[in-house]
Amino acid sequence: MKVGYARVSSTGQNLQSQIEALEKAGCEKIFQEKKSGTQTDNRTELQSCLDFCREGDEFYVTRLDRCSRSVKDLHEIIDTLNNKGVAFKATEQDLDTSS
């Protein structure tokens, strides 16, 4: 299953362009969040998305900064997904951990 995660930093921002890109990529389920990306521990939808993913799934974001604002957090997220057998992909950047 293709699972998407869309995030903006504040409630005044719009998620629509990310949602459309994730739908175009074939995401069947999209988790949405309006919170700062500087920390992962306060983002409940990110955690729900990571928990939802199962072996063989693909986790999609539009850009890396939509998932994480630090290399350390991004590494931890990708490591979590890899341990579950889930590929990480970005629709607007050349990143695909399945290959």
Side-chain angles (χ1 to χ4, degrees):
M1 173 182 256
K2 293 181 178 182
V3 181
Y5 176 72
R7 183 194 65 79
V8 291
S9 298
S10 67
T11 57
Q13 293 176 309
N14 192 323
L15 290 162
Q16 194 57 40
S17 64
Q18 290 180 58
I19 292 168
E20 289 171 4
L22 294 169
E23 287 174 343
K24 185 177 178 184
C27 291
E28 301 168 58
K29 179 141 180 83
I30 299 172
F31 292 80
Q32 304 172 36
E33 194 147 56
K34 292 187 176 189
K35 288 199 175 174
S36 171
T38 57
Q39 298 176 348
T40 57
D41 60 351
N42 69 335
R43 292 191 282 150
T44 55
E45 288 300 304
L46 172 62
Q47 192 57 54
S48 294
C49 187
L50 294 172
D51 291 344
F52 180 84
C53 289
R54 300 289 180 253
E55 185 174 354
D57 286 349
E58 297 172 328
F59 176 98
Y60 277 82
V61 293
T62 54
R63 296 184 318 272
L64 296 179
D65 68 342
R66 298 302 87 205
C67 182
S68 173
R69 300 295 281 175
S70 80
V71 173
K72 178 185 175 287
D73 286 344
L74 180 62
H75 175 31
E76 289 175 0
I77 290 166
I78 292 175
D79 194 41
T80 297
L81 292 168
N82 284 341
N83 288 337
K84 293 178 81 169
V86 176
F88 180 96
K89 298 182 180 190
T91 62
E92 296 177 18
Q93 294 170 306
D94 190 22
L95 181 65
D96 179 347
T97 63
S98 69
S99 60

